[in-house]
Amino acid sequence: MDKKLVVGIVIVVCILVLAIAIAVPVVRKTRGQGAQASLQQAKKWMSQTPLIDGHNDLPWRLKQHEDNKLKSLDLNQRPSWEITHTDIPRLRQGRVGAQFWAAYTDCFTQYKDSLRHVLDQIDVIKRICQMYPETFEIVTSTNGIEEAFQNGKIGSLIGVEGGHNIDSHLGVLRMLYDLGVRYMTVTHSCNTPWADNWHVDEPGGTPEFDGLTDFGVRVIKEMNRLGMLVDLSHVSKGLMEDVLAIPNVAPVIFSHTSAFALCNHYRNVQDDVLLKVKKNKGVVMVNFYTKYINCPPANITADVNYANLTQVADHIEHIRDVCGIDCVGIGGDYDGVETVPEGLEDVSKYPDLIAHLIDRGWGKTDIKKLIGDNLLRVFRDVEQVRDKMKNTLPDETTISRQLQQESSNVCRSKVFLG
């Protein structure tokens, strides 16, 4: 072979090797700079619009581990519990602007002392805000959310999780509203005497009411009259459809629910319902629980205890694509679940999710809708419905005493003799 040719080949190879050696660190640096830029952009936009998370179960953890005795721990430090997603430093790191705290009681309290337990949970949410006034502020309106955010505080709203907590009584519903409750999840994982929960949709499940009873419709209408958000997480598909079919019903929320099309779990919302939510102008706030994120058909592993941030972004984008950008929000369900996605290990990780969406091409307006503007719009619409119904008298209907759940309930005492 010609020596000059050999020398030329060697020179070219050396140049290529040198170019690659220089280019690889540059590419890595550029990618790293890009990710860092997206994260900084996410934090900037989150400083302008409050990230409003639809569901956090810290109050339930306090009930489980501390019997709601706040003096036994300091929320400025990480709790010592085995599973812990929430404390003040991580909320601040996560740029949380407002939070719906869940006043949750277990279904086994139904027909017994659910009301006592839910009052206890409302009380502990309020006491958290009283104990840490520099961080939290109880708010009950859209204006309250925005004012708390402007003052550097986390607007704290109360959501009652499960319609069993009103003990089938509209008077109790009204009093919960007066105590500051601004949404109620119509069921938890059990039926009430007037509503079906999501378990009835599972294989082998049997709907008891095919959604809502007539009394259940009255519950929804009274929530609209009060200005209380109707939360359709945990309910059956039939109930979702029944609520969305009520004439002139106010926009609804799903406070912590993901996309059924990507993960066929019956706690998730199906596409045909999403289209009805779009017409209703409601909002679906995506849940981070691994079992609702990583299951067929779009699962990346057979382990339902594993999911990752990318999959959560997929759920967000699916709901956006089917229901519209005005339809999607965030409801992490932190401290209410046992397993959360890699990359979203606790409440400090919201900026990472937003940065990832920015990397996918999301712009400022859409990010702001996702993190808070959509929920604020729905809440304002509900407030407007309330204002239009201000001359409507409270519904005095009582549930039938002939129902089996009522007639066989030894905890009942009757005063009215009619």
Side-chain angles (χ1 to χ4, degrees):
M1 182 179 291
D2 190 315
K3 289 184 177 180
K4 291 183 178 179
L5 178 61
V6 172
V7 171
I9 291 172
V10 170
I11 291 172
V12 169
V13 169
C14 291
I15 292 172
L16 287 172
V17 170
L18 181 62
I20 292 170
I22 294 172
V24 168
V26 169
V27 169
R28 287 176 179 170
K29 184 177 180 181
T30 301
R31 288 175 180 170
Q33 288 175 335
Q36 189 62 31
S38 295
L39 185 59
Q40 291 305 314
Q41 186 66 74
K43 292 177 179 179
K44 179 180 179 180
W45 291 343
M46 294 169 80
S47 72
Q48 298 168 352
T49 297
L51 182 139
I52 306 170
D53 182 89
H55 196 90
N56 185 298
D57 275 296
L58 175 63
W60 179 244
R61 294 293 181 193
L62 292 169
K63 180 83 163 179
Q64 285 181 313
H65 298 288
E66 310 293 340
D67 196 26
N68 283 349
K69 294 179 173 60
L70 297 181
K71 294 179 182 178
S72 62
L73 81 165
D74 181 358
L75 286 178
N76 286 300
Q77 300 177 5
R78 182 185 291 254
S80 60
W81 317 320
E82 181 180 354
I83 295 175
T84 168
H85 303 142
T86 310
D87 52 48
I88 290 172
R90 286 183 286 177
L91 285 166
R92 291 302 198 186
Q93 187 178 347
R95 303 299 200 275
V96 175
Q99 179 68 64
F100 278 95
W101 302 105
Y104 163 75
T105 70
D106 200 289
C107 280
F108 69 72
T109 65
Q110 185 165 208
Y111 312 120
K112 302 175 196 173
D113 53 356
S114 59
L115 183 55
R116 172 186 170 181
H117 285 291
V118 79
L119 291 175
D120 201 24
Q121 294 312 99
I122 292 169
D123 172 68
V124 79
I125 293 168
K126 291 189 173 187
R127 287 192 290 116
I128 290 170
C129 297
Q130 291 167 355
M131 185 167 284
Y132 302 96
E134 69 287 348
T135 300
F136 303 111
E137 181 177 337
I138 285 285
V139 297
T140 57
S141 66
T142 52
N143 287 341
I145 292 172
E146 292 172 329
E147 289 172 6
F149 182 67
Q150 292 300 319
N151 292 329
K153 297 184 180 182
I154 298 171
S156 296
L157 302 103
I158 303 171
V160 163
E161 189 172 18
H164 61 280
N165 289 294
I166 67 170
D167 201 20
S168 299
H169 201 287
L170 297 176
V172 173
L173 177 68
R174 290 188 281 270
M175 292 302 98
L176 291 180
Y177 182 85
D178 284 351
L179 288 173
V181 173
R182 286 301 177 266
Y183 80 59
M184 183 176 75
T185 317
V186 179
T187 71
H188 192 248
S189 296
C190 55
N191 290 355
T192 69
W194 42 272
D196 284 333
N197 82 99
W198 66 274
H199 280 300
V200 307
D201 293 333
E202 293 182 305
T206 303
E208 187 175 357
F209 311 113
D210 291 322
L212 276 178
T213 68
D214 290 343
F215 184 81
V217 172
R218 289 183 177 275
V219 172
I220 302 304
K221 289 183 176 179
E222 189 68 358
M223 291 175 72
N224 281 182
R225 189 191 69 81
L226 290 167
M228 185 184 290
L229 293 157
V230 175
D231 178 19
L232 297 183
S233 293
H234 283 283
V235 306
S236 71
K237 184 182 180 186
L239 192 150
M240 297 175 192
E241 293 172 333
D242 282 355
V243 169
L244 293 168
I246 296 173
N248 302 314
V249 70
V252 302
I253 68 167
F254 291 70
S255 68
H256 56 306
T257 295
S258 300
F260 185 88
L262 299 187
C263 178
N264 290 170
H265 195 292
Y266 289 95
R267 263 285 280 109
N268 289 339
V269 59
Q270 299 184 34
D271 282 0
D272 56 339
V273 175
L274 283 174
L275 293 175
K276 295 177 181 180
V277 176
K278 181 177 183 178
K279 185 176 180 181
N280 170 261
K281 298 183 179 179
V283 63
V284 179
M285 309 176 84
V286 173
N287 191 317
F288 297 172
Y289 189 24
T290 61
K291 291 183 179 181
Y292 304 159
I293 295 294
N294 183 51
C295 69
N299 56 311
I300 60 173
T301 154
D303 183 5
V304 295
N305 293 319
Y306 177 82
N308 61 36
L309 180 152
T310 299
Q311 289 177 284
V312 172
D314 292 342
H315 279 257
I316 289 172
E317 292 195 329
H318 180 84
I319 292 171
R320 177 202 63 184
D321 293 345
V322 176
C323 195
I325 186 57
D326 295 329
C327 185
V328 66
I330 295 173
D333 206 3
Y334 281 119
D335 277 308
V337 297
E338 306 303 310
T339 51
V340 290
E342 181 180 359
L344 290 170
E345 288 82 4
D346 55 44
V347 296
S348 71
K349 300 297 185 178
Y350 292 110
D352 294 334
L353 175 62
I354 304 309
H356 178 77
L357 292 170
I358 292 170
D359 287 339
R360 289 190 177 197
W362 282 55
K364 179 179 180 179
T365 299
D366 288 355
I367 289 292
K368 289 189 171 189
K369 286 184 176 184
L370 169 72
I371 64 175
D373 282 348
N374 285 342
L375 187 280
L376 285 169
R377 173 188 52 78
V378 169
F379 199 173
R380 283 196 188 95
D381 288 348
V382 170
E383 291 173 334
Q384 290 173 3
V385 170
R386 172 202 63 197
D387 294 343
K388 290 177 181 178
M389 297 180 70
K390 65 181 180 180
N391 294 324
T392 302
L393 294 175
D395 191 334
E396 296 180 333
T397 304
T398 56
I399 199 163
S400 172
R401 295 182 185 178
Q402 305 308 313
L403 291 176
Q404 181 182 355
Q405 299 95 326
E406 289 294 309
S407 60
S408 61
N409 191 343
V410 297
C411 295
R412 289 283 187 258
S413 57
K414 303 293 191 297
V415 176
F416 177 62
L417 301 179

